[in-house]
Amino acid sequence: IVLTQSPGTLSLSPGERATLSCRASQSVTSNYLAWYQQKPGQAPRLLIYSASTRATGIPDRFSGSGSGTDFTLTISRLESEDFAVYYCHQYGGSPPLTFGGGTRVEIK
Amino acid sequence: QLQLQESGPGLVRPSETLSLTCTVSDGSISSGSYYWGWIRQPPGKGLEWIGNIYYSGYTYYNPSLRSRVTISIDTSKTQFSLKLSSVAAADTAVYYCARHDLALGNLVDFWGQGTLVTVSS
């Protein structure tokens, strides 16, 4: 399954709302779609799994939605620590597991 | 608390074999609840899943790398390993070991810190 993320870069100001898209080339089994945040020099951090379940310790300004082939990560009000690269990841069905190409959220 | 720690050479010559080991700190490597895997990220690029292994030794590999990849496990040492043969410059990447939680559908829920491997003569 190929995952296409858009936009490639999102330029926003702190306090604004960020909407990130992830589109799959075919339906994601059981909506097994996750979102990760990655900052420079760090491993990815799990934010959302099963399309809409927040991982432990993730603030409620992060939310995930969608099903089938279209998924969205929303950050309701950007804080300074949220500027990073975000990846979607499908882990359902037969291997290989795949990742999207990433969306960079940068300070405007 | 779980820690995953990658170890191995940071420099590999072209055409040789890249070898990395991941040590699992909490003993859960023998749990039937997880697969243990490898993911890589070329500098400035996105993430690529390489493959994973169950405590019993059952493996899944990315078809794009299958001919060159071997993942093995040693539960007595609480370690699993990656071998990638016939490496080229395109294999230069940060290599992460990771845990896949079967209860959550094979979700990658925990990552090591990553280790940079450079392929160069």
Side-chain angles (χ1 to χ4, degrees):
Chain A
I1 297 177
V2 176
L3 299 178
T4 301
Q5 291 189 240
S6 61
T9 301
L10 202 50
S11 298
L12 295 168
S13 300
E16 290 193 296
R17 182 185 188 90
T19 303
L20 288 67
S21 174
C22 177
R23 178 162 291 177
S25 60
Q26 60 192 79
S27 186
V28 176
T29 302
S30 302
N31 292 325
Y32 281 155
L33 192 286
W35 291 92
Y36 299 89
Q37 177 194 69
Q38 188 178 35
K39 296 180 179 179
Q42 297 183 15
R45 171 194 181 199
L46 178 65
L47 300 175
I48 301 285
Y49 63 93
S50 294
S52 60
T53 302
R54 270 189 301 276
T56 302
I58 301 303
D60 61 6
R61 65 180 181 274
F62 292 92
S63 63
S65 62
S67 64
T69 60
D70 288 299
F71 299 88
T72 300
L73 174 69
T74 301
I75 310 171
S76 59
R77 292 174 312 278
L78 282 165
E79 300 197 3
S80 57
E81 62 263 32
D82 300 335
F83 291 93
V85 179
Y86 292 83
Y87 293 97
C88 60
H89 167 52
Q90 70 80 24
Y91 52 98
S94 300
L97 283 61
T98 53
F99 293 87
T103 291
R104 179 180 305 277
V105 178
E106 64 177 25
I107 299 177
K108 187 174 182 179
Chain B
Q1 180 166 342
L2 175 65
Q3 290 188 4
L4 300 178
Q5 182 64 59
E6 304 91 349
S7 59
L11 180 64
V12 181
R13 300 194 184 283
S15 80
E16 296 189 343
T17 296
L18 178 159
S19 297
L20 295 174
T21 295
C22 182
T23 300
V24 181
S25 65
D26 70 349
S28 60
I29 195 169
S30 299
S31 166
S33 299
Y34 308 110
Y35 269 74
W36 304 93
W38 293 93
I39 296 162
R40 70 180 183 177
Q41 184 173 35
K45 297 188 178 180
L47 299 158
E48 180 179 33
W49 182 78
I50 299 171
N52 61 15
I53 189 166
Y54 199 47
Y55 77 100
S56 62
Y58 196 83
T59 53
Y60 288 101
Y61 297 135
N62 191 323
S64 68
L65 296 168
R66 180 178 288 130
S67 64
R68 299 195 291 132
V69 171
T70 301
I71 298 175
S72 58
I73 194 165
D74 186 338
T75 55
S76 66
K77 294 183 178 179
T78 70
Q79 295 177 333
F80 62 103
S81 299
L82 169 69
K83 292 189 184 298
L84 181 66
S85 64
S86 304
V87 297
D91 295 309
T92 294
V94 175
Y95 285 77
Y96 295 99
C97 60
R99 186 179 77 175
H100 296 61
D101 191 332
L102 288 175
L104 298 177
N106 211 16
L107 171 72
V108 178
D109 69 338
F110 200 90
W111 302 64
Q113 64 184 21
T115 188
L116 175 62
V117 179
T118 301
V119 178
S120 175
S121 56

